[in-house]
Amino acid sequence: MPKVKRSRKPPPEGWELIEPTLEEIEQKMREAETETHEGKRKVESLWPIFKTHHQKSRYVYDLFHKRKAISRELYDYCIKEGFADKNLIAKWKKQGYENLCCLRCIQARDTNFGTNCICRVPKSKLEEGRIVECVHCGCRGCSG
Amino acid sequence: MAASKSTNTYNRQNWEESDFPILCQTCLGDNPYIRMTKEKFGRECKICDRPFTIFRWCPGARMRFKKTEVCQTCSKTKNVCQTCLLDLEYGLPIQVRDAALSIKDDMPKSEVNKEYYSQNIDRQIANVDGVQAAGAVGKAQAPSDLLMKLARTTPYYKRNRPHICSFWVKGECRRGEECPYRHERPTDPDDPLADQNIKDRFYGTNDPVADKLMRRADTMPKLEPPDDKTVTTLYVGGLGDKVTEENLRNHFYQFGEIRSINVVQKQQCSFVTFTTRSAAEQAAEKSFQKLILKGRRLNVKWGKSQGQQGVTAKSIEGGKEPQYEPVPGLPGALPLPPMPSDGSQPSNFFNLDQDDAQLPPLPGGPMGPMGGGPGGPPGRLPQGPPPRMMQRQQPPPPGAFGFPPSTFPSTPWLSWTSSIPSWSSSPTPGDTSTTSRCQTPYSSPRG
């Protein structure tokens, strides 16, 4: 089923240009939701969800803030309809958080000692050539 | 069992709360900075099944997170670390420690008995201060040599490693580099060390690690007293240049009266002879593998009978000393005069007046390593009865001293023979007695 529109008003101009890409990413999200859990860790099943979510928001953020290819109106429309995450984009605007993977990884209340996730540690500070896949979103390092 | 914290707390086994875990250094790891989480009533104790406070921490880089497995009451009863269940002082399994210290601590294992016991211990512990271990272990605290020898000297961090990746063992590990578990061969399932059980380890029964250690303890070198009951000499080797006779005397006097000490500096060894056999045995027990003088560990063994340097420690030298043919023409060795076993004054075997100061100074003769200083000390030699044996009042007990007059030798280590009007006309070196020129079966007239 096509995505249900949340507002009654028709989408602003430029919508037709971005709609196919957004639709494609939506489709990917649906697939991630319906995948089986076989052969995966319990947490690993959720990683594609976070990845796709990041991807969608990234597309919209890129178009508006970086490439300035869409209008403010269309940007607000995308956020309102749920194609991009407002809070995640707010973080990307901050220095040091430009490539943040997901919002869970900076939530200090979720950790035992009130720290950020291991994926937030820059690779230069993380010794031993260690590969990390963070447990929340499977990120391999989002700031270094 | 208390179902919640507000139900009956009198005379029941209550849930345990604590502020700080009881842990050994190895479990804590090499990093002096540790972050530890505390969870009230996080798990049940593996032994007494009571909810207790769980502490969880990371013992170092690339180590698995460890947590306390047994409650503090159980760990205090046996004086062990809450995680690894090894003794806090020695780091040894409970079974080994109990065997060495002869502690018989019969904790009940069945359900209700167990609860009753641990509830009582709980109350006892609450009354005593936390330094001494409760129960049988606290009472028997003489430091044990065997345990100190068996204990490790450096921490063994291999215990804290992550477990083996079971997916990798099957060939299915998809995590690859990132996998925190060990990608190594698992231990052999036939190895007896592979089936360990926490309850067995705690109660001290059937512990394969303990069995292995005790087997090792049995094969450690032991010093057996030689069967020859008259030997009271200890061979002390590895002296170096620093250890002197004075040092040896100062150490060994505590075991009993020293008959003599002879140091052979050239071979860096010495022989310490005691007057009593029991003193020698005690000295051997206290010094074998333990004596360190002037920073050098001395090699203490039993010596052979006087005058010979030799080893009779049981497990070390299995071979026999080369047996030499007795030289034809020489008389056999004299048996030693019997030494009293109760340590009373050196034998008045010949029933002579003691303290006879009129003895002529006995010439030394080749005294061998036994003898001590050169030349006989003036006055009474402790080993030689004065040469009035010919006029002895009582006949000697048969067999101990009986020798026919014809086998009268000038044996080098019994110097008193040299001053007796010698029947032998072959003078020993240093012998100043008159030699008669009578013929004996063993010698021809000289000169």
Side-chain angles (χ1 to χ4, degrees):
Chain A
M1 294 186 51
K3 186 171 161 97
V4 173
K5 292 278 187 317
R6 301 181 64 150
S7 81
R8 292 189 162 279
K9 289 194 297 213
E13 327 83 46
W15 171 245
E16 307 77 28
L17 302 169
I18 63 173
E19 198 208 343
T21 322
L22 281 173
E23 188 58 32
E24 207 181 300
I25 306 181
E26 280 276 316
Q27 185 64 23
K28 197 166 151 198
M29 178 68 104
R30 259 173 253 140
E31 274 167 38
E33 286 168 9
T34 55
E35 257 173 1
T36 86
H37 61 277
E38 298 303 329
K40 291 197 205 153
R41 293 155 57 190
K42 191 161 106 179
V43 292
E44 200 180 336
S45 316
L46 293 177
W47 293 352
I49 312 279
F50 284 96
K51 186 157 182 211
T52 329
H53 179 83
H54 175 110
Q55 222 180 348
K56 258 197 298 186
S57 307
R58 198 81 206 176
Y59 181 60
V60 172
Y61 170 81
D62 255 353
L63 282 177
F64 184 68
H65 291 280
K66 295 287 183 239
R67 299 198 290 190
K68 314 244 193 278
I70 59 177
S71 62
R72 175 126 214 147
E73 217 190 329
L74 183 52
Y75 172 69
D76 288 340
Y77 177 78
C78 286
I79 291 183
K80 264 224 176 71
E81 292 294 316
F83 289 103
D85 186 351
K86 173 179 75 154
N87 295 315
L88 187 54
I89 292 178
K91 292 288 183 261
W92 286 337
K93 293 191 205 158
K94 294 183 179 223
Q95 190 195 40
Y97 293 84
E98 285 91 357
N99 288 324
L100 181 64
C101 56
C102 63
L103 290 169
R104 278 179 85 181
C105 294
I106 46 173
Q107 183 63 277
R109 275 175 253 200
D110 283 355
T111 52
N112 272 337
F113 298 107
T115 59
N116 287 344
C117 180
I118 187 84
C119 63
R120 288 302 297 160
V121 178
K123 291 240 184 6
S124 54
K125 295 284 195 286
L126 196 59
E127 295 110 348
E128 329 124 19
R130 191 173 147 187
I131 312 274
V132 284
E133 270 183 330
C134 90
V135 74
H136 302 297
C137 54
C139 166
R140 288 209 162 90
C142 40
S143 82
Chain B
M1 285 174 283
S4 83
K5 288 188 272 178
S6 59
T7 53
N8 185 11
T9 57
Y10 173 70
N11 208 23
R12 288 286 183 272
Q13 186 191 29
N14 289 313
W15 293 12
E16 185 185 88
E17 265 187 59
S18 43
D19 278 330
F20 198 80
I22 298 178
L23 296 171
C24 62
Q25 270 307 111
T26 327
C27 285
L28 284 172
D30 53 357
N31 193 345
Y33 301 100
I34 300 183
R35 291 184 308 190
M36 201 183 265
T37 59
K38 168 179 162 183
E39 191 184 353
K40 286 228 164 70
F41 317 123
R43 295 260 185 286
E44 289 181 343
C45 169
K46 295 270 182 353
I47 304 292
C48 63
D49 297 321
R50 256 192 326 171
F52 73 108
T53 309
I54 294 273
F55 293 92
R56 190 171 175 269
W57 71 98
C58 181
R62 277 185 285 267
M63 301 292 178
R64 70 174 194 276
F65 272 74
K66 291 187 98 165
K67 68 187 200 301
T68 50
E69 307 284 348
V70 299
C71 65
Q72 297 215 339
T73 312
C74 290
S75 85
K76 280 185 202 168
T77 324
K78 297 276 187 179
N79 197 25
V80 291
C81 168
Q82 269 188 283
T83 319
C84 61
L85 296 189
L86 297 178
D87 188 69
L88 286 172
E89 267 183 72
Y90 301 105
L92 293 171
I94 297 184
Q95 189 176 348
V96 172
R97 182 210 53 200
D98 285 356
L101 295 178
S102 312
I103 298 175
K104 294 255 185 324
D105 195 10
D106 285 318
M107 269 182 78
K109 298 178 199 170
S110 74
E111 290 119 26
V112 178
N113 252 343
K114 197 170 58 172
E115 280 178 38
Y116 177 69
Y117 184 88
S118 60
Q119 139 199 345
N120 286 347
I121 292 277
D122 221 355
R123 206 179 303 145
Q124 253 185 47
I125 289 175
N127 294 337
V128 171
D129 80 332
V131 179
Q132 274 286 23
V137 185
K139 295 178 196 138
Q141 277 310 332
S144 161
D145 283 331
L146 174 64
L147 291 184
M148 292 216 269
K149 275 190 225 155
L150 286 175
R152 283 183 200 275
T153 46
T154 55
Y156 183 65
Y157 293 126
K158 278 171 126 194
R159 263 195 251 146
N160 301 343
R161 286 180 307 175
H163 295 302
I164 303 274
C165 180
S166 59
F167 291 96
W168 185 81
V169 167
K170 291 185 282 185
E172 292 169 0
C173 181
R174 288 152 86 258
R175 294 177 76 170
E177 275 295 311
E178 183 257 329
C179 185
Y181 300 103
R182 265 187 297 152
H183 285 181
E184 282 169 19
R185 256 189 50 199
T187 63
D188 187 12
D190 296 333
D191 184 6
L193 290 183
D195 13 78
Q196 295 184 31
N197 178 351
I198 202 173
K199 290 219 155 111
D200 274 347
R201 285 179 58 216
F202 184 80
Y203 291 120
T205 57
N206 256 335
D207 182 6
V209 181
D211 290 335
K212 183 172 170 192
L213 267 179
M214 292 204 282
R215 242 177 287 137
R216 181 150 69 94
D218 285 335
T219 58
M220 285 201 299
K222 270 201 274 279
L223 187 62
E224 299 291 340
D227 294 327
D228 184 5
K229 283 286 174 207
T230 61
V231 171
T232 66
T233 316
L234 294 176
Y235 161 88
V236 182
L239 294 183
D241 292 330
K242 299 267 182 59
V243 182
T244 62
E245 184 192 327
E246 201 47 45
N247 296 142
L248 292 170
R249 195 174 286 276
N250 290 343
H251 172 81
F252 282 106
Y253 83 97
Q254 57 182 305
F255 302 110
E257 184 179 350
I258 298 178
R259 193 164 154 193
S260 63
I261 294 188
N262 183 41
V263 176
V264 182
Q265 196 58 295
K266 192 169 67 129
Q267 303 197 335
Q268 313 232 322
C269 69
S270 61
F271 294 87
V272 178
T273 312
F274 288 88
T275 50
T276 66
R277 165 68 174 217
S278 55
E281 282 176 359
Q282 249 199 325
E285 196 190 303
K286 292 277 164 55
S287 317
F288 181 59
Q289 304 278 16
K290 284 173 221 147
L291 179 56
I292 299 183
L293 278 181
K294 291 267 184 79
R296 298 180 73 96
R297 166 165 289 165
L298 303 178
N299 182 15
V300 175
K301 297 188 187 126
W302 282 99
K304 274 231 169 105
S305 63
Q306 313 168 49
Q308 295 175 33
Q309 175 184 349
V311 174
T312 48
K314 200 176 192 183
S315 53
I316 299 185
E317 302 201 350
K320 297 198 170 55
E321 306 281 341
Q323 305 289 348
Y324 296 112
E325 284 290 328
V327 177
L330 272 188
L334 274 182
L336 289 177
M339 306 298 276
S341 57
D342 54 348
S344 59
Q345 53 187 313
S347 59
N348 188 18
F349 175 68
F350 302 107
N351 200 21
L352 302 159
D353 288 345
Q354 313 296 351
D355 295 322
D356 191 344
Q358 292 165 7
L359 290 177
L362 297 172
M367 295 268 286
M370 269 315 307
R380 187 167 157 64
L381 268 184
Q383 71 187 22
R388 285 195 272 156
M389 58 146 303
M390 289 302 154
Q391 287 87 23
R392 59 186 181 273
Q393 277 88 332
Q394 292 167 12
F401 203 74
F403 56 88
S406 57
T407 61
F408 198 119
S410 314
T411 52
W413 54 86
L414 292 176
S415 66
W416 52 265
T417 59
S418 56
S419 55
I420 294 167
S422 172
W423 294 7
S424 157
S425 59
S426 54
T428 58
D431 181 22
T432 57
S433 63
T434 55
T435 58
S436 71
R437 302 239 168 228
C438 63
Q439 289 219 333
T440 68
Y442 292 99
S443 58
S444 53
R446 296 273 180 93

